[in-house]
Amino acid sequence: MRAVPSAVAFFILLLRFQRPVHRVTCKKIVSRYLCAMDNEEYFSGQCPIGRAAARAGDIWSLMILRDAGRGMTRFEQFRLSLGVAPNILTRRLRALTRDGLLEKRRYCERPPRDEYVLTQAGRDFLPILHALAGWSARHCGGGLPMSRVEDVETGLPIDPVVIDRHTGVPLGERPLRLVQPEK
């Protein structure tokens, strides 16, 4: 019998002891176990975090938006920077365009070539990426060197903080509650 890598063995064990849920039909796929979230449910659901994650929550989308924020606009620039397969990059660019974070613009007719530029929604997402990077630098560094973002005018590294616009207080320092929309 072959040895099974521990991560694979753990996943098999997890599936074996996972309680079955009601059969879920998602398009043409029927599953006995609820192993993945239904993006459509979150895409238009009540939770704003779910809506945002459904649009830009995968690693490739975040990295494409990061690169677009650094001034990259062309397919080949994204492909070389990320080392992503062309088919995956095509799908993610299409989704980010469909969801209004990027705009596709033709810059060459022969041969047809397009560039992808941030929309206002995409530019509004950049501070979220910087806050995520700041969190990662504080909690996921593990002593390894990481890239950082610096202010162009001062040359100082930024230290992103998310604050409430009304009070000016950092969000992690106040008790908050979630208010469901009225039906």
Side-chain angles (χ1 to χ4, degrees), residues 69-70 130 148-158:
R70 294 173 42 214
H130 296 308
R148 66 178 186 270
V149 177
E150 293 181 347
D151 184 299
V152 172
E153 293 177 12
T154 65
L156 296 173
I158 66 162

Side-chain angles (χ1 to χ4, degrees), residues 14-24 31-34:
L14 181 68
L15 285 177
R16 181 177 292 164
F17 292 106
Q18 187 178 18
R19 289 185 296 144
V21 296
H22 299 304
R23 292 177 70 81
V24 177
S31 173
R32 285 184 30 202
Y33 297 96
L34 187 59

Side-chain angles (χ1 to χ4, degrees), residues 1 8 10 16 24 28 40 63 72 83 86 105 111 118-119 131 149 154:
M1 185 169 156
V8 173
F10 175 76
R16 181 177 292 164
V24 177
K28 295 180 181 179
E40 291 302 318
M63 301 309 282
M72 294 183 194
R105 293 183 187 163
L118 289 168
T119 62
V149 177
T154 65

